[in-house]
Amino acid sequence: MNDRLKIIEARYDEITELLSQPEICSDIKKLTSLSKEQRSLEKIVVLYREKKKLEESIPDLKEMKNSNDEEMSMMAEEELNSAHARIDEINEEIKILLLPKDPNDDKDVIVEIRGAVGGDEANIFAGDLFRMYTKYAESKGWKIEIYDSQPSEQGGYSNISFKVSGDSVYSNLKFESGGHRVQRIPVTEANGRIQTSIATVLVMPEAEEIDFKLEEKDLRIDTFCSSGPGGQGVNTTYSAVRVTYIPTGDFVACQIYRSQHENKATAMNLLRTKIYERMLEEENAKTGATRQALIGHGERSEKIRTYNYPQNRVTDHRIGFTINRLDAIIDGKLDLVIQELINEDQKRKLSAEAEA
């Protein structure tokens, strides 16, 4: 492990030097790429340097421990024990940081939420989930951009898709794909009975053109009048765009902008991501792999979590985790669950590496 850490530290120092060069500072693309790489290495390097400093202090502490001065000897022994304990902690932290990363972890994501089972209540809950992810994104300093939405008459959405951009978005949201089940008394229920409804969530790492390029010959592009809010100018001009991928029949529509050009660019981005996601799923099916690693498969049909309102309880079925903090979680404090998923994923990966 130490040899690998030396290489990482050398690369970190090399990047630091490169970032001070004028030609790099004037190249925004290169500057962004190097800064991102440096951030990904920084935590490992900081821990490694702390470990080296502690290890360097051990010989002196051992010498002080053998001193004839009893008080100095006791103090040195205490510091020595503390140094060894901290080194052990650092080694465990570094092991986790050195685990193979999902290549998509640093990517932005496109999320689709749909009301699935339960009619109006499912759509209302889809709206609640959208609000939950919006609040969570705000707490992380991420940006949300709505791509398309189909509001429900009773509230919420039958379908809403949006982009989340920021630092390490996919690494935090990648376990959210699947069926989210809610148990509560719906506002639409006159008799006050608890109903179970389901909304589905799909989290896709945003595909760039280098990942998958849409060929014009494979596309059919249709324009139509927007049916959403925005005033007479939007609703009477052909600003909305629907893009269909002819080989599979998949299509997406976007009507959130006044400009047809902006709607087309957004729809193309969403369609590219959806097709790329399908390609990855097919490849994973062939190899027997899952991008969701050991925590579920990320399929819409997989019921991953239950939100029980009467008991203020949230249960994630994949790891058997239950917490009575539904009110906080639905208000955006999603790390209460997500951190448990990340910890369990790391634990299982470490176990798998130890067995290998």
Side-chain angles (χ1 to χ4, degrees), residues 11-49:
R11 175 58 180 164
Y12 181 86
D13 290 338
E14 181 186 8
I15 293 172
T16 302
E17 176 64 28
L18 287 169
L19 288 174
S20 67
Q21 296 177 5
E23 59 268 28
I24 296 295
C25 293
S26 61
D27 186 338
I28 298 300
K29 191 173 181 179
K30 189 69 174 174
L31 180 67
T32 302
S33 175
L34 286 171
S35 297
K36 197 171 185 178
E37 185 183 354
Q38 187 185 51
R39 285 197 303 272
S40 72
L41 301 176
E42 187 169 17
K43 193 168 184 181
I44 296 174
V45 172
V46 168
L47 286 169
Y48 177 49
R49 287 175 175 170

Side-chain angles (χ1 to χ4, degrees), residues 81-270:
N81 291 336
S82 177
H84 281 303
R86 179 56 186 151
I87 288 170
D88 288 342
E89 286 178 3
I90 290 173
N91 284 336
E92 291 305 310
E93 290 181 53
I94 288 175
K95 279 181 188 177
I96 290 172
L97 291 172
L98 291 178
L99 284 171
K101 284 186 67 177
D102 186 322
N104 292 312
D105 271 353
D106 292 328
K107 287 191 174 185
D108 297 337
V109 304
I110 293 174
V111 183
E112 286 187 351
I113 305 175
R114 294 181 184 175
V117 179
D120 290 331
E121 171 62 8
N123 295 338
I124 292 170
F125 184 53
D128 293 338
L129 290 177
F130 173 63
R131 177 180 174 274
M132 177 181 76
Y133 291 124
T134 299
K135 289 265 191 178
Y136 182 60
E138 288 173 357
S139 74
K140 295 286 188 181
W142 298 339
K143 177 185 174 184
I144 281 189
E145 179 184 3
I146 296 176
Y147 272 11
D148 192 26
S149 67
Q150 296 172 20
S152 172
E153 288 185 7
Q154 295 294 330
Y157 303 91
S158 60
N159 183 29
I160 182 167
S161 60
F162 54 97
K163 177 181 176 180
V164 188
S165 54
D167 289 334
S168 304
V169 177
Y170 185 71
S171 67
N172 284 273
L173 292 179
K174 63 183 175 182
F175 298 124
E176 292 302 295
S177 289
H180 294 242
R181 182 171 63 176
V182 62
Q183 295 174 327
R184 65 184 177 188
I185 300 171
V187 294
T188 55
E189 174 58 60
N191 297 320
R193 292 175 298 186
I194 293 175
Q195 178 178 319
T196 298
S197 303
I198 296 173
T200 61
V201 176
L202 179 62
V203 177
M204 301 172 285
E206 184 182 31
E208 302 170 11
E209 286 204 38
I210 57 173
D211 297 319
F212 175 70
K213 186 174 182 179
L214 291 171
E215 301 290 346
E216 288 290 334
K217 63 181 178 61
D218 292 330
L219 302 175
R220 185 176 72 247
I221 299 173
D222 302 303
T223 59
F224 55 97
C225 292
S226 171
S227 59
Q232 188 176 357
V234 170
N235 299 329
T236 59
T237 59
Y238 286 83
S239 58
V241 175
R242 182 187 296 107
V243 183
T244 303
Y245 187 61
I246 297 170
T248 64
D250 288 297
F251 70 90
V252 296
C254 185
Q255 57 180 355
I256 59 173
Y257 302 111
R258 289 180 176 271
S259 162
Q260 184 186 112
H261 175 75
E262 286 182 291
N263 282 328
K264 179 182 175 183
T266 300
M268 291 280 281
N269 190 30
L270 178 54

